[in-house]
Amino acid sequence: MNKGIIGFVIVLLVLVSGIYYGYYYFTTGVVNVYAQDPPTTQGDKIYLTISSIMIHKVNASNDSWITISNKTITILLTSNMTFLASSRIPSGEYNEIFLEISTAQVQLGNINISAKIPSGVFKIHIINGMDLKGGSSQSLLISFPHITYTNGQIIISPSITAEVIS
């Protein structure tokens, strides 16, 4: 009798676990975020310290921003794709990605200069949006523009775009 109850409990646990995993897997997907900077003719190096990455879900009942990463990372923008973060998020349509920048440095020759980021964040439009299906994965590539020199300041323009890549 005890063996029958134990067997039933084990089957029930396996069934419930399978249903939970299936629900979780088919209602979420993975997003991978990369950054790339077109090559500059001046050879300037741009270092960004990113403290938060979030993504905006369209048509959410509460207009939600979903955190992809709160891990602080420093990257050198290059013409190669640089991995920023990956996360499993709810399936759905997304239209913007948000990078909170704590510092930005531009290396001009042997000199490091702090760059200005208007408002300290990049709110980046995803060209044609991203439709993340349950159980799938998508990769976003954020393309940064060149830096500008205005009135003695180095400014990294917030005119940045992202697009889904295969």
Side-chain angles (χ1 to χ4, degrees):
M1 182 93 163
N2 284 341
K3 288 183 183 181
I5 293 173
I6 291 172
F8 175 75
V9 168
I10 290 172
V11 168
L12 185 60
L13 285 173
V14 168
L15 181 63
V16 168
S17 297
I19 291 170
Y20 173 78
Y21 176 76
Y23 173 79
Y24 179 72
Y25 179 80
F26 288 110
T27 61
T28 63
V30 175
V31 64
N32 303 299
V33 182
Y34 298 87
Q36 184 177 34
D37 182 38
T40 62
T41 55
Q42 298 97 345
D44 303 335
K45 293 181 179 177
I46 303 171
Y47 294 90
L48 295 178
T49 301
I50 302 167
S51 55
S52 179
I53 303 171
M54 299 176 76
I55 193 164
H56 183 255
K57 187 171 185 182
V58 179
N59 296 329
S61 59
N62 59 355
D63 194 39
S64 62
W65 282 92
I66 297 165
T67 300
I68 294 173
S69 173
N70 277 329
K71 181 182 175 187
T72 299
I73 58 169
T74 299
I75 62 165
L76 167 62
L77 291 176
T78 69
S79 59
N80 297 320
M81 289 189 341
T82 302
F83 176 76
L84 300 182
S86 181
S87 182
R88 182 168 286 280
I89 61 174
S91 59
E93 293 182 31
Y94 294 87
N95 65 347
E96 291 179 307
I97 191 160
F98 179 92
L99 300 180
E100 185 175 342
I101 308 297
S102 54
T103 61
Q105 294 283 322
V106 177
Q107 184 178 353
L108 303 171
N110 292 329
I111 301 170
N112 288 333
I113 301 170
S114 292
K116 182 178 180 181
I117 307 286
S119 74
V121 298
F122 291 125
K123 193 172 181 181
I124 304 161
H125 176 73
I126 301 171
I127 298 170
N128 297 321
M130 179 183 78
D131 187 13
L132 184 64
K133 304 286 186 205
S136 71
S137 67
Q138 295 277 359
S139 293
L140 286 175
L141 177 61
I142 300 170
S143 297
F144 286 84
H146 296 293
I147 57 177
T148 58
Y149 305 92
T150 306
N151 299 327
Q153 286 187 325
I154 297 175
I155 300 172
I156 299 175
S157 170
S159 299
I160 301 167
T161 58
E163 61 184 326
V164 175
I165 58 172
S166 54

